[in-house]
């Protein structure tokens, strides 16, 4: 009899454990991913222990207006940003508390756009994105209770009422997103954007009004400052450039008052555009709410110089423990290259990379202004652009974009193949099949123009394929590279 | 049965929590003896309860609430023709699975405490007549009205006209019991009319069947009967759902406003609340419900599941449980566009 009860207990416990495991797995699959706030927080957990020297907290103005990979590239600063879109200061506080449980940064930089939030709660989606990435903890419980109205707490705590509706949107990636497979250790919270908003920039230096911050917003700014004081971690407050500077300046003036009260350095880049080098509208993305990568690099360098001046931040380049920052930098660079559509911008990015280019000019044509501009761009990365200009059709390999060495593989019978770095490159005009690498078609041959395949030496893969067609005024067009 | 003199037992009977909200309506002669007796919960009863509860949750959360999205969209819109027909049919399934699902869950909770309750729904849309329908639908209410209203009025013991009047009274009261609105009264009245009409025409229908050599015991005829009952009850449910008598009339008028059966095939229904993926879930759940209903009609019940190997039972339960957890209509819904980072 006792044996029967024991067996039943074991069976029930086993069933319970298996069921809970499947519920956990289902939650992992259904969890909203690749969204600000959620993956930026999950990525923080994936960072090597005590590796983050600079923690950049705040809203999208933190994550999108500061290019952390540029800080690494130039100074070897290991920075991470667990940002969330339209993140109010209370969520920033709980994110900070969470971060400090896993990292001990040398300095915390708080982007203060969140100080403009006025309202007891964010919109429904942001209430989710600014807490769901956190691990289960008392801190998360407090974050949920602070971020959402009481009638929503149950759904947020149970999780499934919020996420289960994703069942019709799940993809292969959702089944790959586990702490041991998602690769988040190589992401640092920043991202790249290519585009130009060209907003009208306004001078906010004459705005002296001081507005009353929303009470809950101010309460949590003070909590953040006091928490860091308690932990002995210095804080810097920052406003990255925004085209809505005049409207928001009264709010930032109020932030200045708080900063002065606590003795916290506060840099309002809207009032320092020239010094930061962001003095024109072509550093802005979309309608101007955020900076593009050109602008984000500028703010990163500005911030890095401020930090280097004030703190002794170690240069971690070459340190194996910080390999993920190097990987992030390279991955970001490659993905950004594939975003760029402007000819001049494209070649500027190539100059920053260590790659080779496989170039084909498939016909000949008369000189034009646009073609001259393209050749001048080639001239920036190669000393042999004149050969490209002169040729009536052939292929060249520009080895080492920054070195400008040219290897000429001219082909007379419209077919050419050669080996480079262990790969077989083929250009087939004869059968019209196009350019292929190791038998895999990259670029079909088409209209008269110049075709370029970019080969990354570090990853030993082709990372981009573009063409500049005569009939399209030699503007950049891109082929998808798998 | 003897009157219950123990106030605690009586209070427990009246306030029996699994059924107090929405039934099944319990009769004293069934429940009070169970309250008086000691009946420990057995492991097998626990297992049965878990299965019954999960099945009830499945048909409610996965099928009923999902069809409700389509039904609500049509009833609040101005669709015509076969879209209306589809919504009316969907509502017939929705109200059945909603109510039956709840009843299954209530029965399961009672079973967890060692109480056996009678089933409340017995495949009502397999009924062959309206009377048969009411012996299968909300059985506890039907038996209550039969015992406390129909029989005291005289039942069928005082001649046909009086019997028909008694049926009409019972259904009018039943309509009022469902809601204090003319639409519910009319709904009850229609059921009475159809039931009386079935009585009145029974002899002629038998003669007609004999004349045309229709085998009324054949499976095909039984299916035909069920289809007719489904059609009749679906028509009458319109008055139950529409939210008012005139709204129901308007709904019916829109059915005949346009002849458009192609809407059932050209994807039009995919733009009314439910996309193709959701419809697939509905059809899959409906198929499962149909199979289970056939099995129950043939006398199989939850004990048939209990006789299966443990692995099979676990897999069945997991299927039902995770269907509810992932596909159930609850919580906030997910709107992907709200999470696309725009206008931060």
């Amino acid at each position: 009899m006792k044996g029967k009860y024991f067996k039943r207990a074991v069976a029930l416990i086993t069933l319970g454990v298996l069921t809970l495991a499947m519920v956990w797995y289902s939650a992992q699959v259904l969890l909203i991913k690749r969204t600000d706030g959620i993956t930026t927080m999950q990525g923080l957990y994936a960072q090597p222990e005590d590796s983050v020297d600079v923690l950049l907290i705040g809203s999208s103005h933190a994550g999108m207006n500061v290019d952390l990979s540029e800080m690494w590239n130039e100074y070897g600063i290991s920075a991470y940003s667990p940002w969330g879109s339209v993140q109010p200061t209370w969520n920033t506080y709980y994110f900070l508390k969470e971060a400090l449980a896993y990292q001990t940064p040398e300095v915390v930089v708080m982007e203060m756009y969140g100080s403009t939030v006025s309202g007891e709660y964010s919109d429904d989606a942001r209430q989710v994105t600014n807490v769901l990435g956190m691990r289960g903890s008392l801190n998360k419980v407090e974050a949920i209770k602070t971020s959402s109205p009481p009638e929503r707490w149950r759904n947020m705590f149970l999780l499934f009422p919020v996420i289960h509706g994703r069942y019709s949107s799940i993809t292969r990636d959702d089944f790959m997103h586990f702490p041991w497979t998602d690769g988040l250790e190589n992401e640092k919270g920043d991202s790249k954007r290519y585009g130009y908003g060209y907003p009208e920039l306004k001078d906010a230096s004459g705005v002296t009004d001081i507005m009353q911050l929303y009470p809950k917003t101010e309460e949590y700014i003070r909590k953040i400052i006091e928490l860091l004081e308690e932990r002995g971690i210095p804080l810097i407050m920052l406003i990255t450039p925004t085209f809505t500077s005049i409207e928001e300046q009264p709010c930032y003036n109020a932030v200045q008052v708080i900063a002065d009260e606590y003795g916290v350095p506060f840099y309002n880049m809207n009032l320092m555009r020239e010094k930061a080098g962001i003095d024109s509208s072509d550093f802005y993305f979309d309608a101007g709410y955020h900076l593009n990568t050109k602008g984000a690099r500028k703010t990163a360098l500005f911030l890095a110089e401020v930090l280097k001046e004030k703190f002794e931040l170690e240069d971690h380049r070459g340190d194996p423990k910080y390999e993920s920052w190097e990987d992030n930098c390279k991955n970001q660079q490659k993905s950004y290259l594939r975003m760029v559509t402007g000819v001049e911008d494209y070649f500027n990015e190539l100059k920053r990379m260590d790659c080779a280019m496989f170039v084909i000019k498939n016909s000949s044509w008369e000189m034009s202004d646009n073609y001259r501009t393209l050749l001048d761009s080639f001239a920036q990365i190669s000393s042999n652009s004149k050969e490209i200009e002169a040729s009536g059709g052939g292929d060249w390999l520009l080895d080492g974009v920054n070195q400008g060495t040219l290897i000429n593989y001219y082909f007379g019978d419209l077919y050419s193949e050669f080996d480079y770095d262990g790969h077989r490159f083929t250009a087939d005009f004869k059968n019209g099949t196009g350019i292929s690498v190791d038998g895999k078609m990259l670029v079909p041959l088409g209209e008269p123009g110049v075709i370029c395949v970019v080969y990354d030496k570090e990853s030993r893969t082709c990372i981009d394929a573009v063409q500049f067609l005569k009939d399209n005024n030699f503007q950049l067009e891109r082929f998808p590279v798998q | 049965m003897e009157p219950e003199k123990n106030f605690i037992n009586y209070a427990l009977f009246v306030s029996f929590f699994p059924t107090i909200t929405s039934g099944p309506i319990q009769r004293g002669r069934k429940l009070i003896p169970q309250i008086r007796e000691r009946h420990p919960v057995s492991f097998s009863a626990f297992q049965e309860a878990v299965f019954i509860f999960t099945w009830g949750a499945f048909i409610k959360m996965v099928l009923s609430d999902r069809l409700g999205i389509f039904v609500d969209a049509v009833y609040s819109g101005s669709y015509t023709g076969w879209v209306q027909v589809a919504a009316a049919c969907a509502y017939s399934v929705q109200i059945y699975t909603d109510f039956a699902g709840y009843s299954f869950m209530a029965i399961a909770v009672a079973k967890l405490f060692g109480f056996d309750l009678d089933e409340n729904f017995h495949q009502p849309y397999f009924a062959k007549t309206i009377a048969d329908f009411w012996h299968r639908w909300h059985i506890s209410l039907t038996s209550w009205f039969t015992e406390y209203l129909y029989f005291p009025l005289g039942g069928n013991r005082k001649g046909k006209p009086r019997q028909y009047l008694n049926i009409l009274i019972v259904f009018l009261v039943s309509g009022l019991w469902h809601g204090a609105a003319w639409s519910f009264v009319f709904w009850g009245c229609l059921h009475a009319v159809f039931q009386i009409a079935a009585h009145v025409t029974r002899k002629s229908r038998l003669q007609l069947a004999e004349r045309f050599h229709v085998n009324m015991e054949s499976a095909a005829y039984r299916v035909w009967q069920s289809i007719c009952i489904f059609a009749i009850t679906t028509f009458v449910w319109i008055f139950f759902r529409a939210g008012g008598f005139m709204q129901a009339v308007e709904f019916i008028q829109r059915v005949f406003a346009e002849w458009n059966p192609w809407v059932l095939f050209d994807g039009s229904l995919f733009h009314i609340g439910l996309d193709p993926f959701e419809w697939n879930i509905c059809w899959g759940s409906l198929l499962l419900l149909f199979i289970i209903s056939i099995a129950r009609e043939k006398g199989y019940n939850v004990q048939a599941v209990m006789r299966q190997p443990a692995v099979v039972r676990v897999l069945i339960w997991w299927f039902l449980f995770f269907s509810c957890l992932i596909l159930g209509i609850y919580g906030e819904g997910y709107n992907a566009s709200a999470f696309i980072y725009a206008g931060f």
Side-chain angles (χ1 to χ4, degrees), chain A residues 8 12 15 18-19 22-23 26 30 32 35-36 60 64 83 85-86 125-126 128-129 152 155 160-162 164-169 290, chain B residues 43-44 46-47 66 275 277-278 281 314 317-318 321-322 324-334 336 338-344:
Chain A
R8 278 187 185 159
L12 277 177
L15 177 62
L18 285 174
T19 304
M22 289 168 67
V23 170
S26 303
L30 291 167
I32 302 157
T35 302
D36 56 287
S60 58
M64 296 173 78
W83 64 277
S85 67
V86 198
R126 267 74 187 208
V128 171
T129 58
R152 212 183 176 200
N155 287 346
F160 271 87
V162 175
H164 87 286
R166 277 200 72 233
Y167 59 80
S168 56
S169 327
H290 302 91
Chain B
F43 187 61
S44 60
F46 171 78
Q47 289 184 79
R66 182 167 266 102
D275 62 27
F277 190 85
E278 298 294 327
I281 296 173
V314 167
W317 181 71
W318 272 348
F321 174 74
F322 283 100
C324 294
L325 186 68
I326 295 169
L327 303 178
I329 302 296
Y330 67 98
E332 303 178 353
Y334 175 75
F339 290 91
I340 292 171
Y341 191 17
F344 7 103

Side-chain angles (χ1 to χ4, degrees), chain A residues 4-303:
Chain A
K4 186 174 152 188
Y5 287 129
F6 178 73
K7 278 185 188 173
R8 278 187 185 159
V10 168
L12 277 177
I13 291 170
T14 306
L15 177 62
V17 167
L18 285 174
T19 304
L20 282 175
M22 289 168 67
V23 170
W24 176 84
Y25 179 81
S26 303
Q28 289 299 306
V29 172
L30 291 167
L31 193 65
I32 302 157
K33 301 176 187 68
R34 302 297 170 212
T35 302
D36 56 287
I38 297 179
T39 45
T40 52
M41 178 47 71
Q42 289 177 329
L44 179 84
Y45 299 124
Q47 302 308 305
E49 193 180 339
D50 281 333
S51 58
V52 174
D53 284 350
V54 176
L55 191 70
L56 177 60
I57 57 177
S59 69
S60 58
H61 289 219
M64 296 173 78
N65 287 357
V66 184
D67 188 346
L68 301 182
S69 61
E70 188 75 348
M71 290 173 73
W72 171 264
N73 206 30
E74 293 296 321
Y75 295 102
I77 295 175
S78 57
Y80 189 89
S81 182
W83 64 277
S85 67
V86 198
Q87 186 175 82
T89 54
W90 47 91
N91 284 122
T92 305
Y93 170 74
Y94 290 109
F95 267 33
L96 174 64
K97 275 187 82 175
E98 195 71 8
L100 295 181
Y102 294 89
Q103 297 287 337
T104 312
E106 300 290 331
V107 58
V108 172
V109 179
M110 181 172 173
E111 210 289 337
M112 299 304 297
Y113 180 74
S115 63
T116 62
V117 169
S118 61
E120 201 62 18
Y121 305 109
S122 316
D123 61 76
D124 286 352
R126 267 74 187 208
Q127 288 175 30
V128 171
T129 58
N130 282 319
V131 296
L132 269 202
M134 298 170 73
R135 282 179 180 166
S137 63
L138 285 175
N139 190 37
K140 183 174 182 178
V141 170
E142 290 303 314
I144 289 173
K145 290 169 77 173
T146 308
S147 312
S148 310
E151 56 268 23
R152 212 183 176 200
W153 290 353
R154 185 181 61 183
N155 287 346
M156 296 287 279
F157 286 130
L158 291 177
L159 182 65
F160 271 87
V162 175
I163 65 170
H164 87 286
R166 277 200 72 233
Y167 59 80
S168 56
S169 327
I170 52 177
T171 64
R172 180 180 177 276
D173 276 352
D174 289 300
F175 288 88
M176 300 293 144
H177 190 82
F178 294 95
W180 51 88
T181 59
D182 56 23
L184 283 178
E185 66 275 10
N186 287 337
E187 298 196 19
K188 309 301 169 188
D190 61 337
S191 58
K192 299 276 199 282
R193 281 153 314 288
Y194 181 78
Y196 294 92
Y198 299 115
E200 181 192 344
L201 298 185
K202 299 163 193 169
D203 180 9
S205 57
V207 178
T208 55
D209 302 339
I210 300 175
M211 72 173 275
Q212 179 68 45
L213 296 180
Y214 191 78
K216 189 176 174 182
T217 296
E218 182 173 337
E219 176 192 349
Y220 279 88
I221 291 174
R222 292 180 180 277
K223 278 188 166 182
I224 287 168
I225 296 171
E226 287 159 12
L227 172 64
L228 289 170
E229 274 183 355
E230 187 187 318
R231 300 287 184 100
I233 298 173
L235 171 67
I236 287 181
M237 289 184 177
L238 175 73
I239 292 290
T240 55
T242 167
F243 86 113
T244 49
S245 52
I246 284 191
E247 291 82 5
E248 290 152 9
Q249 191 57 40
C251 180
Y252 302 145
N253 289 338
V255 172
Q256 182 72 68
V257 170
I258 298 173
D260 291 341
E261 182 185 327
Y262 287 92
V264 173
F266 176 37
Y267 295 87
N268 184 345
M269 294 178 73
N270 285 318
L271 307 180
M272 310 163 85
R273 287 197 181 117
E274 261 188 52
K275 187 176 177 184
I278 303 184
D279 50 3
S280 81
S281 61
D282 65 350
F283 290 107
Y284 288 80
F285 180 68
D286 52 50
Y289 291 101
H290 302 91
L291 301 176
N292 54 32
T293 294
K294 270 170 69 172
R297 283 171 175 162
K298 293 273 189 183
T299 56
L301 291 175
F302 172 83
L303 178 62

Side-chain angles (χ1 to χ4, degrees), chain B residues 135-306:
Chain B
H135 288 126
R136 293 166 174 265
W137 178 280
H138 205 346
I139 298 167
S140 60
L141 180 69
T142 304
S143 71
W144 194 94
F145 270 122
T146 303
E147 197 162 323
Y148 288 99
L149 189 57
Y150 184 66
F151 285 158
L153 285 172
N156 59 2
R157 290 175 281 118
K158 297 194 176 177
K160 291 284 183 198
R162 181 56 186 264
Q163 181 191 8
Y164 298 155
L165 178 65
N166 292 341
I167 289 172
L168 183 63
I169 292 170
V170 167
F171 277 101
L172 285 175
V173 173
S174 172
L176 275 173
W177 181 88
H178 282 87
W182 288 116
S183 56
F184 292 114
V185 173
F186 193 72
W187 166 82
C189 185
L190 276 178
H191 268 285
V193 164
F194 280 115
Q195 189 159 340
I196 293 166
H199 272 276
V200 167
T201 60
R202 185 167 183 273
K203 203 171 173 183
S204 354
R205 284 185 289 116
L206 284 171
Q207 286 171 347
L208 209 62
E210 198 177 324
R211 177 147 184 207
F212 288 98
H213 307 291
V214 174
N215 180 2
M216 298 175 82
E217 296 304 317
S218 65
Y221 187 77
R222 286 207 295 274
V223 169
W224 164 249
Q225 285 180 304
S226 295
I227 291 172
C228 289
I229 295 305
F230 182 80
I232 291 169
T233 53
T234 295
F235 168 74
V236 181
W237 280 132
I238 293 173
F239 292 88
F240 202 84
R241 170 62 182 80
F245 181 79
M246 291 314 298
Q247 289 91 323
V249 170
E250 195 189 320
F251 184 95
I252 294 166
Q253 284 174 334
R254 284 208 299 272
V255 170
F256 298 101
E258 191 180 349
W259 174 253
N260 56 359
W262 51 85
V263 299
L264 301 177
F265 306 102
D266 67 359
S268 298
L269 299 186
F270 297 156
H271 302 288
I272 310 175
L274 297 178
D275 62 27
F277 190 85
E278 298 294 327
W279 274 112
N280 285 340
I281 296 173
C282 285
W283 287 119
S285 307
L286 204 53
L287 178 65
L288 182 62
L289 174 66
F290 185 70
I291 292 169
I292 299 297
S293 298
I294 298 265
R296 292 187 76 227
E297 188 72 4
K298 291 190 180 302
Y300 293 101
N301 54 22
V302 68
Q303 275 85 28
V305 177
M306 294 298 110

